């Protein structure tokens, strides 16, 4: 059987390994860390279980497909539970907006805050559905190797107003500033500024309503472990604590990899799930790169980063939902600070994750597990996180204590912080960007690093930095694209 090497075991790498295993390859996954999952790795501390990254699971069918490719049934290994309502948005004045799956409940909630926006909301949802049909069903599944494939879709993208931004499109349907925010913040989950991200990402509203918002019992880590097990079931291997330092190239084709230990491994194909910019900047020699030169990578726009505080409390906070968005006093200007000015603002908007609201097994009895994340500038902003982290955490803790988690600071029994510096050093992400390249139109589809490398043969890319982009549906789709660009193993044998 031909040998495939997959660099990295994020969701994209795990999915790629399973797809290659099902298509006649012997697969070796090489992972720098001591566990699978990448951004979705798990840590356990003082009896609490923390998912480090993704918590909102959408489009379960993408996971089910991987299980069936490995000859197993998804529901035998994983229990998904619907999260309903989806999330609660809390505005700075204390008013809230609860998003749920049921259209009638949503109409009532919009009507409660802004009766004049109910019609506009309905029309926005119809537009979101139309965008989903093209943006997800047609765009995410196909490779964009040629500019022609992009050109063919342009009339359709124009018809769907993709030249507008997510916020711009939402604001063209509804007037209330709070509803505009509630319908437009989603790009922040995939590294985009709602004021610059193409309105293609308005598809998320339809995707959530049509397919639901889910969480895995046992945490997102259960999905990671499940995928790692499928790789084993296929007879393939994941090797941990193995950092790839270069991709070897001969005669214009990838021939294998070199590890930090000095070991070299030969392969018929190489798939990189490492950060796409890092792959080109650090793993592939400059002399073989024509498109992704250091200069182009230096000029690219990288997503924002994240400050994440994981904490466990000795008491339970009943009534705090599984997912909350806690908005500060500023929206557009805060986003400008994060994405454009790249300064660490004194105010923030937060996402609060409270998994024990659904699955108490993630904390000791009577306790609660949380994480709170704040979008912050990537390392291009030059923030000195060694000094900034603790005062920033304290400010967030004070805010949470004043708003949704009274008495927080006295009740914290375990705590851990992740800063943009960790995205850089631990996950090897250029500028510590949490989501790779920023999802602006000029860095999407054909303009993004292709799934079949433009630089050398037999090299492929999956994960957040390549097409279609970040988020679980995006990275799982990037692996699905491989099926149409990687030759079947039997053709290489
Ligand atoms: C805090 C946070 C919350 C999020 N929440 C959500 C959410 O709720 N829902 C959602 O859909 N998405 C969410 N996302 C986005 C989503 O998690 C990511 O887009 C996705 O997990 C990235 O997967 P990936 O395949 O790109 O791989 P990554 O997770 O980036 O993994 C890449 C792997 O490659 C390894 N690696 C890198 N370089 C090398 C090397 N040289 N040699 C060997 N190994 C290497 C790394 O160690 C890592 O394990 C969130 C992200 C973060 C950070």
């Amino acid at each position: 059987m031909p040998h495939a090497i997959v660099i990295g075991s994020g969701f994209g790498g795990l999915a790629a390994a399973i797809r290659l295993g099902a298509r006649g390859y012997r697969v070796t996954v090489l992972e720098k860390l001591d566990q699978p999952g990448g951004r979705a790795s798990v840590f356990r501390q003082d009896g609490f279980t923390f998912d480090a990254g993704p918590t909102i699971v959408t489009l379960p069918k993408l996971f089910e497909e991987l299980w069936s490719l490995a000859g197993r049934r998804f529901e035998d290994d994983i229990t998904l539970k619907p999260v309903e309502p989806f999330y609660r948005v809390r505005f700075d004045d204390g008013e809230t907006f609860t998003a749920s799956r049921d259209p009638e409940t949503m109409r009532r909630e919009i009507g409660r805050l802004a009766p004049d926006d109910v019609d506009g909301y309905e029309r926005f949802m119809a537009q979101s559905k139309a965008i989903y049909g093209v943006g997800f069903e047609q765009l995410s599944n196909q490779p964009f190797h040629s500019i022609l494939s992009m050109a063919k879709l342009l009339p359709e993208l124009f018809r769907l107003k993709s030249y507008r931004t997510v916020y711009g499109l939402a604001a063209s349907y509804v007037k209330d500033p709070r509803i505009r925010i509630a319908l437009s913040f989603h790009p922040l989950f995939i590294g985009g500024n709602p004021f610059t991200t193409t309105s293609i990402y308005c598809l998320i509203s339809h995707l959530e309503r049509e397919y639901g918002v889910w969480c895995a019992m046992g945490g997102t880590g259960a999905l990671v472990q499940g995928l790692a097990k499928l790789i084993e079931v296929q007879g393939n291997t994941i090797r941990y604590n193995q950092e790839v330092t270069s991709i070897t190239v001969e005669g214009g084709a990838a021939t294998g990899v070199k590890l930090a230990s000095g070991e070299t491994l030969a392969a018929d194909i190489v798939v990189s799930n490492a950060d796409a910019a890092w792959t080109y900047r650090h793993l592939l020699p400059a002399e073989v790169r024509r498109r992704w030169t250091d200069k182009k990578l230096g000029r690219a726009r990288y997503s924002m980063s994240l400050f994440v505080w994981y904490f466990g409390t000795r008491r339970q906070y009943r009534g705090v939902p599984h997912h909350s968005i806690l908005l500060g006093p500023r929206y557009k200007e805060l986003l400008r600070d994060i994405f454009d000015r790249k300064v660490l603002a004194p105010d923030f908007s937060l996402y609060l994750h409270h998994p024990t609201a659904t699955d108490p097994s993630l904390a000791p009895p009577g306790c609660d597990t949380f994480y709170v994340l704040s979008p912050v500038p990537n390392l291009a902003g030059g923030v000195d996180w060694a000094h900034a982290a603790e005062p920033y955490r304290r400010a967030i803790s004070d805010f949470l204590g004043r708003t949704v988690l009274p008495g927080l600071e006295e009740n914290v029994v375990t705590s851990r912080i992740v800063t943009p510096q960790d995205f850089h050093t631990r996950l090897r992400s250029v500028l510590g960007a949490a989501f790779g390249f920023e999802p602006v139109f000029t860095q999407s589809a054909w303009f993004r690093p292709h799934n079949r490398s433009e630089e050398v043969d037999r090299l492929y890319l999956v994960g957040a930095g390549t097409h279609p982009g970040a988020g679980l549906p995006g990275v799982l789709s990037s692996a699905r694209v491989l099926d149409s660009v990687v030759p079947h193993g039997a053709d290489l044998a």
Side-chain angles (χ1 to χ4, degrees), residues 101 119 131 150 154 208 283 347 357 378 396 406 416 492:
R101 189 168 181 185
D119 275 1
I131 296 174
M150 182 112 189
L154 280 180
E208 288 180 344
L283 303 186
D347 55 331
N378 65 35
I396 290 176
R416 180 155 160 174
L492 286 188

Side-chain angles (χ1 to χ4, degrees), residues 9 47 102 112 216 223 258 274 297 309 316 351 401 421 435 466:
S9 66
D102 176 49
R112 186 179 67 80
L223 284 165
K258 192 166 179 190
L297 291 168
W309 177 34
Q316 286 176 321
Y351 159 67
Q421 195 58 51
F435 304 88
T466 181

Side-chain angles (χ1 to χ4, degrees), residues 7-13 30-33 35-40 52-58 189-190 242-245 273-275 278 283 306 308 310 351 371 373 423 426-428 434-435 462-465 469-473 475:
I7 307 168
S9 66
F11 270 112
L30 300 166
E31 170 54 57
K32 169 182 174 285
L33 303 176
Q35 59 166 303
R39 280 154 170 78
T55 60
I56 299 173
V57 177
T58 48
F189 286 151
I190 43 129
Q242 306 288 335
E243 178 162 10
V244 171
T245 50
N273 174 225
D275 179 52
W278 191 281
L283 303 186
L306 298 172
V308 196
Y310 308 86
Y351 159 67
Y371 85 53
L373 72 75
F423 284 94
R426 185 167 178 271
L427 290 159
R428 298 282 186 252
F435 304 88
V462 293
L472 301 188
V475 304

Side-chain angles (χ1 to χ4, degrees), residues 288-304:
V288 301
R289 288 185 271 130
R290 294 171 305 261
R291 187 178 186 207
W292 296 102
T293 58
D294 291 355
K295 195 168 158 201
K296 184 172 167 77
L297 291 168
R299 279 199 315 252
R301 288 173 61 160
Y302 294 90
S303 82
M304 84 295 194

Side-chain angles (χ1 to χ4, degrees), residues 6-7 23 43 81 94 136-137 166 214 254 297 340 342 399:
V6 177
I7 307 168
R23 298 183 76 236
F43 64 93
K81 220 172 159 181
F136 197 80
E137 297 294 344
V166 168
W214 304 84
L297 291 168
D340 304 334
K342 294 194 167 51
F399 172 82

